[in-house]
Amino acid sequence: MTQENPKTPEGDRIAKVLARAGVASRREAERMIQAGRVSVNGSVIDSPALNVTAKDQIMVDEEPLAEAEPPRLWLYHKPSGLVTTAKDEKGRKTVFDSLPEDLPRVMSVGRLDLNSEGLLLLTNDGEIKRKLELPSTGWVRKYRVRVKGEPSEDMLKPLRKGITVEGERFQPMTISLDRQQGSNAWMTLSLREGKNREIRRAMEAIGLTVNRLLRVSYGPFRLGELKAGEVEEIKARVMRDQLGMEHEAAPAQKRAAPQRTRPGSAGKPDGKPGGKPTGKPVGKAGGKPARKFAGKTGGKDNSRFAGMAGEKPVERGAGKPAGRHGGKPAGKPMGKPGARPMGKPSGKPGGRPTGKRSPRG
């Protein structure tokens, strides 16, 4: 006699629901649960091994859980000198302190250390964060690296094969030596994982010191010409295509966007996802508004994706007629074949005739 498997509980794991609502990543949500900061239907829980449905009343830090808004994704050009953490124990300025006021509460996809700069992805969805950080996703992270010294191809071989530093194994890196510039050298480096200070530690292991590190792309998303401190949102359709979310069901009910709050500022809603912005464009606080997608001409979206690097942007005026309508013709006026070339023009339209007047009838 076979024993039937117990029925799977309805709903989703509580940590997944918290992540989906933008409270935190799933791992951080589990820590919050274990710290007794989450209650379900009036009872504090201490284990993430619980499924919940829309009927359950969930509280986080004694506040009702906001409805999950549709997932969104942003590109952010992180400047050097900011730490990628929500709160720094040493009191240093963080990435989240520097984001525009009208941006909703977001989480970073991975990290860039204090002195690193370049592309950092931001999202309001903990599940997207988790998905993009997993090495199994296989997305390539590309960097421009400046090192002090004169590296040779032989020096870089250990990094291309994979190297172990202080007992930690780093996967093979793709490296091209670009140019030597005085006592420094520039190279382009790609990897598929992002361990703590991996590039700096790997370079130190072969006798090189990194003095500048700039991430230029993360999977299909690239930094392009986004300036330091600027933020730019990825279109919802593009995000779904790139993340394989095209066939995922949309949320049954739109949730109120959780707002980032700062001292003396309550924050303003960001507007409808995918619609026209209701306020100022998202950009560097106090600076220029964020640019539109580079390559968006004529209504076509040629946004900055690494997979589209070989395509030329649509140039202004492409396909424009040779002359202006009603203006000066582009070529010479046509005459009868074999006829004498025409002389001076007969005059301005509406001006005095150049010949004799015809007799009045």
Side-chain angles (χ1 to χ4, degrees):
M1 183 175 179
T2 58
Q3 186 177 0
E4 294 183 1
N5 292 328
K7 187 178 179 181
T8 303
E10 293 182 359
D12 293 313
R13 290 282 182 168
I14 179 66
K16 181 177 180 180
V17 173
L18 295 177
R20 181 68 187 81
V23 172
S25 66
R26 190 186 293 191
R27 186 178 299 175
E28 181 60 29
E30 291 175 351
R31 285 195 283 264
M32 293 170 67
I33 292 168
Q34 292 167 353
R37 297 171 57 186
V38 180
S39 65
V40 178
N41 300 327
S43 300
V44 175
I45 61 173
D46 57 7
S47 171
L50 174 69
N51 279 33
V52 293
T53 67
K55 298 177 183 179
D56 293 307
Q57 295 182 348
I58 304 170
M59 306 278 284
V60 179
D61 293 332
E62 300 182 357
E63 294 289 335
L65 181 66
E67 293 285 331
E69 66 170 353
R72 298 167 71 184
L73 191 65
W74 290 265
L75 308 176
Y76 171 58
H77 186 158
K78 176 195 173 297
S80 178
L82 300 179
V83 290
T84 312
T85 183
K87 186 177 181 180
D88 184 57
E89 57 187 15
K90 296 180 181 179
R92 294 171 295 184
K93 196 172 182 180
T94 75
V95 162
F96 302 100
D97 295 331
S98 307
L99 295 176
E101 293 285 349
D102 54 356
L103 203 68
R105 184 173 56 195
V106 294
M107 296 163 277
S108 65
V109 177
R111 298 184 179 218
L112 287 173
D113 63 36
L114 177 68
N115 296 319
S116 297
E117 54 192 298
L119 181 61
L120 187 66
L121 297 181
L122 305 173
T123 181
N124 64 336
D125 191 302
E127 285 300 293
I128 288 181
K129 169 183 168 68
R130 177 175 174 271
K131 179 177 181 179
L132 298 189
E133 288 178 345
L134 290 174
S136 58
T137 304
W139 276 8
V140 174
R141 302 106 189 260
K142 185 178 289 187
Y143 299 81
R144 292 277 290 145
V145 185
R146 188 179 69 189
V147 297
K148 185 176 181 180
E150 298 182 5
S152 64
E153 294 295 336
D154 287 339
M155 287 179 68
L156 300 176
K157 282 181 180 179
L159 305 187
R160 291 179 175 136
K161 293 179 180 179
I163 189 172
T164 300
V165 179
E166 297 175 348
E168 189 171 10
R169 179 69 178 174
F170 295 153
Q171 297 299 317
M173 304 175 184
T174 302
I175 308 175
S176 63
L177 188 55
D178 299 331
R179 70 180 186 273
Q180 186 74 36
Q181 191 174 27
S183 60
N184 295 318
W186 278 98
M187 58 185 75
T188 301
L189 185 150
S190 301
L191 45 81
R192 292 183 182 273
E193 60 181 358
K195 295 181 179 178
N196 184 35
R197 302 183 71 252
E198 179 173 353
I199 295 175
R200 296 179 187 275
R201 292 164 62 197
M203 290 295 174
E204 287 173 3
I206 61 172
L208 299 172
T209 302
V210 174
N211 51 33
R212 191 172 180 192
L213 183 60
L214 174 73
R215 184 193 280 164
V216 294
S217 68
Y218 193 109
F221 305 109
R222 57 180 180 168
L223 186 64
E225 297 179 1
L226 197 65
K227 295 179 181 178
E230 284 188 345
V231 180
E232 182 174 282
E233 184 170 7
I234 300 295
K235 291 181 180 294
R237 175 184 57 79
V238 176
M239 180 191 69
R240 290 194 302 268
D241 290 346
Q242 296 296 333
L243 304 187
M245 300 167 59
E246 192 65 45
H247 303 294
E248 289 187 10
Q253 185 178 2
K254 187 178 76 173
R255 296 175 182 258
Q259 297 296 311
R260 298 189 311 116
T261 56
R262 297 178 184 171
S265 173
K268 296 181 181 180
D270 204 32
K272 292 183 179 180
K276 292 183 178 181
T278 55
K280 295 180 180 180
V282 176
K284 186 177 181 180
K288 295 182 180 179
R291 304 178 300 101
K292 294 181 179 178
F293 280 103
K296 184 179 179 183
T297 54
K300 293 185 179 180
D301 181 14
N302 293 330
S303 50
R304 57 171 76 87
F305 297 108
M308 301 173 69
E311 297 185 8
K312 290 186 177 180
V314 180
E315 296 181 1
R316 280 180 169 269
K320 191 182 285 187
R324 285 186 175 178
H325 180 67
K328 204 171 182 180
K332 294 182 179 179
M334 293 180 64
K336 291 183 179 180
R340 294 177 63 187
M342 298 175 69
K344 296 181 179 179
S346 59
K348 295 181 180 178
R352 295 181 59 189
T354 55
K356 295 181 180 179
R357 296 184 180 178
S358 58
R360 295 183 179 178

